[in-house]
Amino acid sequence: MAEAPFAPQLERLQQLVDQSNRIVFFGGAGVSTESGIPDFRSQDGLYRQQWQYPPEEIVSHSFFTARTEAFYDFYRAKMLCLEAKPNAAHLALARLEAAGKLRSVVTQNIDGLHQAAGSRRVWELHGSVLRNYCMDCGKGYSAEYIKGSQGVPRCGCGGIIKPDVVLYQEGLEDRVIRGAVEDIAGADLLIIGGTSLGVYPAAGLIDYYRGDELVLINRSPTPRDRQATLLLPAAIGEVLGQLKIN
């Protein structure tokens, strides 16, 4: 449960949710840390861990192309968390959508936990580990196949299999960007949670929001804190898990 000092903010959040019918949630890695999936930039995040190569370099297109086997060593060990389950934040957002309150989830995460919780309209800005394809013939493969493979996973045609995730140096998918922008622009409430808002172009999408109320829920400060009309420096699951959803 969130600490007592947040009681007024929680009450205000409940009021905003109750009076809104086109809510959009914009989230990042902090949404999934409560499910046991490590983030990238926190004190214990992946970018602070020691590997033969810097993790930020490993998850780049050029590294994937030049050192594919080393990429997959890191990817299997640190980015394929297939045992993770949805937490209170994922479940609350799915209930909000089912209740007709939430228009969509816009996520920077690649773990598929929003869909596992029941969310149907999810814009995955950075793709998903659950989708993988042969770079030659396009055949699809599951995350379980990648997890159980050795070295560089290959298709039956001999082509290299690549995760459908957006690596550094790769562009975001136009269809996803258009959908996310349209929903954010048409939202009557934008809730941002579990993100440092430091990754672009994803973080820039919130500039399309035209509503009066902006809710920001994050353990640590972000560059957009001053823009928020409601700020909760707390874990996203602890906050959303307390919403009363009819």
Side-chain angles (χ1 to χ4, degrees):
M1 301 290 285
E3 296 295 328
F6 294 120
Q9 292 98 316
L10 287 168
E11 182 178 351
R12 179 56 180 157
L13 175 61
Q14 185 70 60
Q15 292 173 346
L16 291 173
V17 168
D18 289 345
Q19 69 190 33
S20 303
N21 293 294
R22 297 189 313 278
I23 303 170
V24 170
F25 177 79
F26 182 96
V31 178
S32 292
T33 52
E34 292 171 74
S35 293
I37 297 179
D39 64 5
F40 286 84
R41 291 173 173 78
S42 70
Q43 187 64 38
D44 299 318
L46 295 181
Y47 288 166
R48 294 179 181 268
Q49 297 180 15
Q50 296 301 312
W51 284 74
Q52 183 180 358
Y53 304 97
E56 283 184 282
E57 179 183 347
I58 295 174
V59 293
S60 67
H61 178 82
S62 57
F63 190 93
F64 175 85
T65 302
R67 299 183 176 89
T68 311
E69 186 166 357
F71 168 88
Y72 269 110
D73 287 342
F74 178 85
Y75 182 77
R76 290 190 189 95
K78 294 297 182 180
M79 299 181 70
L80 277 184
C81 304
L82 304 185
E83 71 288 346
K85 304 296 182 186
N87 62 52
H90 299 107
L91 296 171
L93 291 166
R95 291 197 302 272
L96 279 173
E97 183 183 38
K101 306 288 288 181
L102 183 81
R103 174 60 172 163
S104 66
V105 169
V106 180
T107 181
Q108 300 171 80
N109 295 340
I110 58 176
D111 49 50
L113 290 182
H114 285 292
Q115 292 92 329
S119 291
R120 300 175 63 86
R121 189 174 177 88
V122 181
W123 300 110
E124 296 176 308
L125 299 178
H126 297 151
S128 173
V129 299
L130 303 183
R131 299 185 299 268
N132 305 271
Y133 62 91
C134 172
M135 297 175 69
D136 288 350
C137 73
K139 181 180 178 179
Y141 287 86
S142 68
E144 288 77 12
Y145 179 87
I146 302 300
K147 186 78 170 180
S149 63
Q150 301 292 325
V152 178
R154 291 188 175 272
C155 177
C157 75
I160 294 174
I161 301 171
K162 183 182 183 296
D164 188 17
V165 299
V166 179
L167 304 176
Y168 286 120
Q169 303 162 349
E170 296 179 345
L172 306 187
E173 185 179 347
D174 288 342
R175 177 190 65 84
V176 175
I177 291 295
R178 286 195 302 270
V181 166
E182 180 179 329
D183 283 359
I184 291 172
D188 58 2
L189 177 64
L190 179 62
I191 301 175
I192 301 172
T195 173
S196 63
L197 293 175
V199 178
Y200 283 81
L205 298 184
I206 66 175
D207 291 331
Y208 289 93
Y209 178 56
R210 295 293 179 262
D212 295 326
E213 302 284 351
L214 176 64
V215 178
L216 207 162
I217 309 165
N218 198 58
R219 287 180 182 272
S220 57
T222 80
R224 303 296 186 111
D225 285 4
R226 291 185 177 181
Q227 294 176 241
T229 57
L230 180 60
L231 182 65
L232 288 100
I236 184 73
E238 293 179 352
V239 173
L240 296 187
Q242 296 187 65
L243 285 176
K244 296 178 178 65
I245 303 168
N246 299 321

